[in-house]
Amino acid sequence: MFSFAIMKSLLQSKYLLLVFFFVLFIVNLTQGYFTELLSDEAYYWTYSNELNWGYFDHPPMVAVWISISKFIFASGELSVRFFSSITLPLTFYFVWLLIDHPKKLNYKWLFILLTLTTSLFNVYGFITVPDTPLMFFTALFLFGYQKYLKEKSTISYLILALSMACMMYSKYQAILVIGFVLLSNLKVLLDGKIWLTTLLTIALFSPHLYWQIENDFPSFKYHLFERKENTVYKFRDTYMHIINTIAIIGFTFPIVYKSFFKNIKNTDSFQKALNFLVIGFICFFFISTFSTHAQAQWIVPISIPLIVIPFNHLVENQKDLKLFTILAITTLVVSTFLRFAMAIDGLLPKQFDMHGNKKWIVALDKKIEDKTPLIYNSYQNTSLYWFYSGRRPYQLNTWDSRKNQYDLYTYNKNYTIENAVLIGISKNSSPKDSLPKKNKGKIYYKNIKHSYSKNNSIEIDFQDNLTLTKNTSNSFQVLASEKIIDELNSLKLAIALRDGRVKKVFPAILIDDKIEFNFDISDSNFNPNRIQVIGTSNPEINYIRLSPIKNITINEQ
């Protein structure tokens, strides 16, 4: 009876939200301390070691988040996560301000349940990825938009400009948030001050745009073209997207989506914006599944409207409120267990991404001793090794791997290394040794006998739309300076031909300014349509890119 009275008093306290935010901060701080980094977190940590206006995969806000954490904690997981444990309660506070219901002060406990059961949203309190600042600034943007609808004050325009720029600095998906809110109320385009707000937003974002221009638009090229190389439709991508729309909410999804569907007819401008965000994100990424894989975190911005909309519905529908409470408690029990499982390796039979990394890195570091680490085709392994060993490794992206930020880091562009050990090679590459990595897997490595030189300044070009002939010698002229051609003579060259996802390599030689190779092929089904020049300074190490990929046509011999 006594404990029930205390609980009732606490739930009715005017300080309930303040207590909740503080407890949430402490819980996430503790979780962040005891949970090893995700590989992507380690990658973003490397961003913070070289602050810039942009990075290969993302805009720079995640690096700012981590840099603030590093200012408080010099090392360890909290040097990456500390600021996130602060900003999640602040994000939830802005979401609370979005709720405009006359009974809201009597239902603070309901708001707490809604926030805690939006499963993926809560993860951004103890990990730091680009979605962490994106969610914070999305909440601020919606707060500014709500304020704009009510009063059109100067402060509302400034909040909109600042939040839109910061969203864009967080993740490029911000354009969808802004776009869907705009589509919900095209009348705002008649407001001249909105156009001034847009110009201010562009001005604030212009340093990143200038960085893209200076670096030949690496992020735009990657997201719009390079990552879509696999165009084969997989039904699994579509149904997994549907599952993700449920998974990010948790077991409360039947009530949450019921309240959303009931809200679709709401004519209030702000509620329409929330509806457009949910429909827009789900439909946009549903369509994208026909050409690529849609990840769960890509739709996480819908978590904010799916807190605000159900709150208003549940306050007025006690029957749904009772069922929601039962489902919410179930979600909390499961999510609490999963949080312990993330922090404690071995609690579940299968390891999470954050498990076991420190162990294999420490073991590997002892094995290679004073040799120079050169890590193959994995920005994840490279970043984790750098973070947990304290040694900055070199990273090598071979011609058939995807590019990443290590292609842009100054130290990793041009180098010559001696006494190197090649880490992360395949089992078929004659490794010297291996050690257990994760989930019963292994990481293989071997020593390199001779030096290895990588020079990103060796970039060549050649004519578009070459015509090649099968089963004969082919040649084409290289377009490059004499200095570059001289440097090509020191490399082992090859030609990579691509037929969809099938890739084949043919040895090549440089004669004066022409590359020659024998296109001998017994596979009549191999009909390539793209070509690339590749090369290496050491035959023990795989080829890297030396030219852009060009289209070709094929003649049969």
Side-chain angles (χ1 to χ4, degrees), residues 80-132:
V80 177
R81 295 169 169 163
F82 175 74
F83 193 51
S84 297
S85 64
I86 293 176
T87 55
L88 184 69
L90 291 174
T91 304
F92 283 154
Y93 175 68
F94 281 118
V95 177
W96 168 252
L97 295 179
L98 298 179
I99 297 173
D100 188 14
H101 194 285
K103 298 179 183 178
K104 76 182 250 184
L105 293 178
N106 297 325
Y107 285 89
K108 294 176 184 176
W109 63 270
L110 173 59
F111 173 75
I112 292 171
L113 275 183
L114 280 163
T115 55
L116 290 180
T117 52
T118 49
S119 307
L120 189 55
F121 198 169
N122 275 275
V123 173
Y124 302 129
F126 67 89
I127 71 169
T128 303
V129 292
D131 302 274
T132 309

Side-chain angles (χ1 to χ4, degrees), residues 300-316:
V300 76
I302 71 173
S303 298
I304 293 176
L306 292 181
I307 291 173
V308 178
I309 294 170
F311 182 93
N312 294 330
H313 170 79
L314 291 170
V315 167
E316 301 298 333

Side-chain angles (χ1 to χ4, degrees), residues 37-52:
L37 290 191
L38 293 164
S39 57
D40 280 354
E41 284 183 286
Y43 182 48
Y44 303 134
W45 170 82
T46 72
Y47 286 10
S48 70
N49 295 334
E50 291 196 20
L51 288 175
N52 212 327

Side-chain angles (χ1 to χ4, degrees), residues 433-471:
D433 203 351
S434 67
L435 54 85
K437 191 183 176 190
K438 298 174 58 176
N439 293 321
K440 299 180 181 180
K442 291 183 178 181
I443 186 163
Y444 296 92
Y445 60 95
K446 69 177 180 180
N447 297 329
I448 301 303
K449 295 177 182 178
H450 305 289
S451 65
Y452 174 70
S453 296
K454 178 189 173 189
N455 188 347
N456 271 29
S457 63
I458 303 179
E459 294 181 356
I460 63 175
D461 204 352
F462 48 91
Q463 71 180 74
D464 291 309
N465 298 312
L466 285 172
T467 299
L468 302 180
T469 304
K470 281 187 177 182
N471 299 313

Side-chain angles (χ1 to χ4, degrees), residues 50 386 392-395 406 409-415:
E50 291 196 20
W386 189 354
R392 186 181 68 179
Y394 291 94
Q395 202 259 342
Y406 286 95
Y409 284 140
T410 303
Y411 89 93
N412 201 63
K413 281 185 175 182
N414 304 298
Y415 57 80

